[in-house]
Amino acid sequence: MRTTAARTPRSALLTAVLAAVVTVGAIGAVFLLRPRPEVPAGVAEPAPAPVPPALTCGGGPCRELAAVTVGGTPVVLLTDAGGGSARLRVGPEPGTVFELSIAQLGVRLDQSSLRCIDGAAPACLVRGDAGADGTTAYGELLVGTGGVWRDPGKPYYADAGTLSLYDVTADGRPDVIVVRHDCPDTLAGTPKCAAAPVLGEVYDLAGRSVGCTRRYTAPSDLRGWPDIRLTRADLRTCPS
């Protein structure tokens, strides 16, 4: 009788433990097997962010040639490997991309080709030398107004090889300075014109001529050459 009385509590304890284990397992199985809530009809899952297409220049990948920040806006000059195609990207990627027409004129662009100035109307000038001797240059101007950038589409040509961007009139807006030989149009491109004195002609952002400097023997005689810096006091009526 003593042996039976000693074993009874142990059997009861073992039975209780087994029952608890079975109960916990059953609860876990019910939790795993219960159906998951369905996504309501018409509610789409968030789509992955679109990946902007890679920019191409001349049929190949663009490479970064120069980059500046103007008024907090990044501006990047992009070209192809051969320099025959060029683009200007304004703003964070993907930004606004402009195809530059001067790249098709045989200009040579490098790290110093991009010049930007902030102001009431920020502007960027992309310039490059042309010709075997580099005595001529082309430039393309892009202007920002009210946060929107545009390309006026008028390339600038300097037959004395120098183009600059500077606020000549001190009105908070950059101006374009073109250094050219003072010779009649009929002599343009001739050795006689190449030997003529030079002067700097200033244009506002709308492409209107503001005035000209006096004549100089060479472009290097202008103040600040090659990044020429003029004031309104330097200007007078352009020769006809």
Side-chain angles (χ1 to χ4, degrees):
M1 296 297 291
R2 292 180 180 178
T3 303
T4 303
R7 290 180 179 179
T8 299
R10 293 182 182 179
S11 299
L13 178 60
L14 178 60
T15 301
V17 170
L18 291 175
V21 170
V22 171
T23 302
V24 171
I27 294 174
V30 170
F31 178 81
L32 293 175
L33 294 175
R34 69 177 181 176
R36 296 184 180 182
E38 296 182 357
V39 178
V43 178
E45 294 185 0
V51 178
L55 283 177
T56 59
C57 298
C62 293
R63 64 187 182 99
E64 181 178 311
L65 189 61
V68 300
T69 299
V70 52
T73 300
V75 180
V76 181
L77 176 60
L78 304 163
T79 65
D80 64 355
S85 175
R87 295 185 172 196
L88 198 71
R89 185 179 66 216
V90 181
E93 290 191 65
T96 303
V97 180
F98 298 88
E99 188 79 26
L100 299 177
S101 61
I102 62 170
Q104 303 172 12
L105 300 176
V107 301
R108 294 182 297 276
L109 301 175
D110 56 29
Q111 290 82 359
S112 62
S113 292
L114 178 60
R115 166 73 166 158
C116 298
I117 294 181
D118 194 11
C124 291
L125 178 70
V126 180
R127 66 166 302 279
D129 296 330
D133 54 3
T135 56
T136 58
Y138 287 96
E140 193 162 346
L141 183 70
L142 288 97
V143 182
T145 305
V148 178
W149 285 75
R150 60 184 177 84
D151 184 349
K154 174 189 175 182
Y156 291 87
Y157 171 69
D159 68 355
T162 302
L163 280 164
S164 299
L165 190 65
Y166 188 70
D167 185 5
V168 178
T169 57
D171 62 353
R173 298 170 181 265
D175 303 290
V176 180
I177 306 172
V178 176
V179 180
R180 60 177 177 83
H181 290 281
D182 182 25
C183 61
D185 292 339
T186 55
L187 296 178
T190 65
K192 186 174 182 179
C193 184
V198 301
L199 53 80
E201 185 166 5
V202 177
Y203 296 87
D204 63 17
L205 294 181
R208 298 181 294 257
S209 178
V210 178
C212 291
T213 67
R214 65 178 179 86
R215 297 174 180 85
Y216 293 88
T217 303
S220 57
D221 293 333
L222 278 83
R223 185 188 312 117
W225 183 90
D227 190 14
I228 297 173
R229 300 176 181 274
L230 303 175
T231 66
R232 183 175 282 279
D234 295 319
L235 303 182
R236 60 199 68 192
T237 302
C238 293
S240 57

